[in-house]
Amino acid sequence: MNEQEIERLVDKFERSSLNEMQISDNNFKLLLTKPHHSNAANSAAPVATSTPVQTAEAPTEDDAVVPAPLVGLVYLAAQPGKPVFKSVGDQVKAGDVVCLIEAMKVVNEVKSPYDGILREVLVEDGSLVEYDQPLFRIEKN
């Protein structure tokens, strides 16, 4: 799928009445979601919940950082009011979704590259993150 096809799909999705659309093709996955609003007067910006940064123990030499793979808004839960993907102290397996990053109205899953225990959440829900910014600290198994 090329960039023009993706832009065309995003444009059609924005104009549609759909709230969510997912497209998968071989090694490509596109998930588009629209924020949920209580009335039409709300802005088109995503709704962010206020989840405090979670901290547990001091860093150890077995710790690894999960970096942001792109610039965008980070969401620690699939939707406002829903449980976070992972909390401090949770067991994490490589490939587990730990958060979402929205960039240009496209929502991207961020998966843990490590097996281990989540020791620290380094970002706040709904905050803007930079490329390669540390998101989580995981104690590797």
Side-chain angles (χ1 to χ4, degrees), residues 31-54:
L31 174 63
L32 302 172
T33 59
K34 291 181 182 173
H36 299 281
H37 298 295
S38 58
N39 64 45
N42 287 337
S43 71
V47 177
T49 58
S50 179
T51 304
V53 173
Q54 301 175 16

Side-chain angles (χ1 to χ4, degrees), residues 54 63-68 74-77 84-88 92 96-101 110-114 117-123 133-139:
Q54 301 175 16
D63 288 354
V65 171
V66 177
V74 66
Y75 297 105
L76 303 177
V84 295
F85 290 105
K86 296 290 180 183
S87 297
V88 169
V92 178
D96 284 356
V97 175
V98 290
C99 69
L100 302 173
I101 295 181
V110 178
K111 298 178 180 179
S112 174
Y114 311 107
I117 299 171
L118 182 65
R119 291 297 178 202
E120 189 173 9
V121 178
L122 303 169
V123 294
Q133 177 179 338
L135 303 173
F136 302 94
R137 183 171 56 86
I138 295 176
E139 180 184 329

Side-chain angles (χ1 to χ4, degrees), residues 19 22-23 36 38 43 55 64 69-70 80 140:
N19 288 322
Q22 181 174 339
I23 298 169
H36 299 281
S38 58
S43 71
T55 304
L70 67 159
K140 296 193 294 186

